[in-house]
Amino acid sequence: MTRFQIAIITVLLLSSCGDDKKSTHAPATPQTLSELTLGPRPATLYNDFPATIEGIEIVQLRPMVDGYLQKIYAPEGANVTKGELLFKIENPMYDQAVITAKAGVQSAQANVDAAKMGVEKVRPLVEKDIVSKYELDGAQYTLQAQQAALDQANATLRNAETNVGYTTLRSPITGVMGSIPYKIGDLISSTTSSPLTSLARIDQVYAYFALSEKQLLNLSSRVPGATLQDKLDHLPQVLLVLADGTAYPQKGKLETASGFISTGTGTVSLKAQFANPTGLIRSGASTVVRIPRTIDTALLVPQSATYELQDKRFVYQLIADNKVISMPITSTATNDGKYLVVSAGLKRGDKILLNGFNLKDSTTVNPVPVNADSVYAK
């Protein structure tokens, strides 16, 4: 046998061996994956809006008279009650005005008493026709003039005492003291731009936030009611998220804060009122108002059953012959982050895979149906 014949036989043997190896490979077994049939389920979504807290009452305390700040009775940030003494302004001029006014009252009172005596002296003489009736009329007119002078003196005294009263400033509400930009000895004027302090009543607080015109129209279109306040009354109570991310335990009620859309920002201002019995929330705090929205017939997809590619969210949808395709969806995450509420891409009755990744389109799988209640109970 020649070398050429041996080479041909060797090639034929190797080819037959390769064919035998290929024939021994069995077809790939389809993966067994969990299958969920989508159906309508209730879900709650939340819209978050940055908000600023203000007390239900905020009062700027301003002086009514000029003088030097003599005493500060309550420190900044203190809890004060209505009528509590807060500041004392010193101005001797007002005290002297009271002394002068009292002296004027005494003088006017003496003149009134003298005029009364004059009337009483003339009256019997007139009755006996000893003097003319004109004498009595003149004495009575003098009494009236002196009585008017006494009334004026009393008014001057009351005005002087009022000014002295303005030198002590008391809290007009029960609340919390703000900052005090003045120190003892500073000259205080009724015309200064800065108040002595601000007081805020915070047993109830408002959280102010803004809605864009588009958000307001979306809200109006899906909530019944003739007016904006009617629509807000139909909404459920709202939540408050504090600056550290924790949820405030008290729920609030939405109210209108402005009936106009700002031409500068294109937004409308709303507010939510919250009870604040412990005083945890202070005026000026930054928070988030969270408005819930309940959907009775939502299509919920577990977020773990989706994947993201190029800023799009996909699921593996099961089609005919147990094949899968990648289906893009439009969705909104629930507040707990476990599920997505699908608004486009899937419909009721569609089937998706709960596990299995890096599957190519048209891959055949072995789906195993799972109970939907067990999926959403997790």
Side-chain angles (χ1 to χ4, degrees), residues 161-215:
E161 290 174 338
T162 298
N163 286 334
V164 169
Y166 287 147
T167 62
T168 56
L169 288 88
R170 299 180 181 274
S171 177
I173 62 172
T174 296
V176 178
M177 285 269 288
S179 61
I180 303 173
Y182 302 98
K183 306 300 180 185
I184 292 177
D186 285 350
L187 178 62
I188 305 301
S189 171
S190 58
T191 59
T192 53
S193 58
S194 299
L196 283 173
T197 190
S198 294
L199 296 116
R201 176 188 159 197
I202 60 171
D203 58 323
Q204 298 281 332
V205 295
Y206 287 126
Y208 285 87
F209 64 100
L211 288 181
S212 68
E213 187 174 359
K214 182 179 179 180
Q215 290 170 328

Side-chain angles (χ1 to χ4, degrees), residues 112-194:
V112 168
D113 294 339
K116 287 180 179 180
M117 290 176 63
V119 170
E120 296 301 323
K121 178 181 178 181
V122 172
R123 180 177 288 117
L125 297 177
V126 172
E127 293 174 353
K128 296 178 180 179
D129 291 330
I130 298 176
V131 298
S132 170
K133 183 176 180 298
Y134 291 106
E135 295 288 338
L136 178 60
D137 291 340
Q140 289 176 335
Y141 289 147
T142 301
L143 175 60
Q144 290 177 6
Q146 296 301 335
Q147 185 64 55
L150 176 60
D151 292 341
Q152 185 176 6
N154 280 320
T156 301
L157 175 60
R158 287 194 296 270
N159 184 60
E161 290 174 338
T162 298
N163 286 334
V164 169
Y166 287 147
T167 62
T168 56
L169 288 88
R170 299 180 181 274
S171 177
I173 62 172
T174 296
V176 178
M177 285 269 288
S179 61
I180 303 173
Y182 302 98
K183 306 300 180 185
I184 292 177
D186 285 350
L187 178 62
I188 305 301
S189 171
S190 58
T191 59
T192 53
S193 58
S194 299

